[in-house]
Structure formats: C-alpha cells, structure tokens
Amino acid sequence: MTSTDLSGPVSTADLYDERGEDLQSVPLQFQDLGGNVAFSGPVRTIRCHEDNGLVKSVLNSPGGGSVLVVDGGGSLHTALMGDMIAAAAVENGWAGVIINGPIRDRTAIAQLSLGVKALGSNPRKSAKESLGEVDVPVEIAGVAFRPGAMVYADEDGILVER
C-alpha cells in the first residue's frame, strides 16, 4: 500500500520510503496495547505528569478520528488511561492514543477498536487533578508532535509530519 491510499491503514515503512525526511520517526519503542495496531489521524496533545484528569476529559469529547498524544514524561509510576477512558475514546470517535507512560486494564483495552501505544502497564491509578496542558506542542524522544499534524502508527512504529 502506498501513502496515496489513505482510506485504510498506512504502512509506516512504505510511507517513510515515499516521504522520507518530511516525516519524523519516533525512536522510542512503544508497546501495541489496543485492538487496532495500525491507526492514523490528526494530532491532539496533552502534557501531564502522573495525572489523567485531562486525558479523561479530552477523550470524553468528540475525537473526529484524531490521535491523542499524551506526554506523561515517561513516568511509569501511574497509569494514564484505563479501560473506561479507552471505551469513552471509542464511543467518541478517536482513532488512537499514544502515551509516553503506562496504561492499566490492558486485557480489556486490547479488545477495543482503538489504537493504543504506550510504554507498558501499571495497575496504579493516577491523580485526577487535571493538571497539565492541552493542545500544546510536545516532544517525545526528540520528536515534536504539533496539534493538527498527521501521525501514523503501526507495528513498525510511529511517524509524524514535521
């Protein structure tokens, strides 16, 4: 499949071969934890630390096929999304979630029609203070994610437009 056929899942390897340096490749090795391994869409962002209040709020709003990129700073101390928040993302039309941190309820999330890439899992709940920032540029492993840029994810990794 080529990137000119964006009606279905896009192979990140093929897309990179076609577009090269127009795309940034995330070197961090995320785990595929959702029911959809390949997903893409316009970026929405959250920057937070061990607090998933904003994640819950944003994923409970219309997603319109977007991908939420959550920069949790790589902290593995608390989960930033669980099965109820992930189910709300599906109900609200989100294509996927990329979390620089862990999730919880991974068995249930794996059954959902949602792309989820995260660093792993941790059963510990996070704070619910809604501290952080929404729709701001975030950087993960040296790669910039700007709200509105297209992101593509599959088994090979994550690409984002420069």
Side-chain angles (χ1 to χ4, degrees):
M1 177 183 314
T2 67
S3 68
T4 55
D5 175 17
L6 296 178
S7 59
V10 175
S11 162
T12 57
D14 290 346
L15 187 60
Y16 191 85
D17 287 349
E18 185 176 306
R19 295 188 49 199
E21 295 303 314
D22 289 342
L23 301 167
Q24 299 176 87
S25 178
V26 179
L28 189 59
Q29 298 299 295
F30 283 87
Q31 294 182 34
D32 290 307
L33 299 169
N36 296 347
V37 176
F39 58 98
S40 62
V43 169
R44 297 275 315 272
T45 65
I46 292 177
R47 181 182 299 122
C48 60
H49 182 73
E50 298 177 11
D51 183 324
N52 75 350
L54 291 174
V55 176
K56 180 178 181 180
S57 174
V58 170
L59 292 176
N60 271 289
S61 68
S66 293
V67 175
L68 182 62
V69 178
V70 180
D71 182 7
S75 172
L76 298 173
H77 293 283
T78 64
L80 292 176
M81 185 177 75
D83 60 344
M84 293 189 307
I85 295 173
V90 172
E91 291 170 18
N92 286 296
W94 290 85
V97 184
I98 299 169
I99 300 177
N100 187 18
I103 66 165
R104 57 187 260 159
D105 305 312
R106 67 189 290 163
T107 301
I109 289 174
Q111 304 304 311
L112 297 174
S113 182
L114 181 69
V116 178
K117 284 189 178 280
L119 298 182
S121 60
N122 184 334
R124 186 176 182 198
K125 290 181 178 183
S126 71
K128 312 283 188 234
E129 311 268 329
S130 295
L131 299 176
E133 299 173 277
V134 177
D135 290 328
V136 295
V138 299
E139 187 174 304
I140 298 173
V143 174
F145 290 85
R146 292 174 293 99
M150 283 296 293
V151 64
Y152 306 91
D154 67 7
E155 300 90 340
D156 284 331
I158 302 167
L159 296 175
V160 64
E161 292 177 333
R162 289 190 183 273

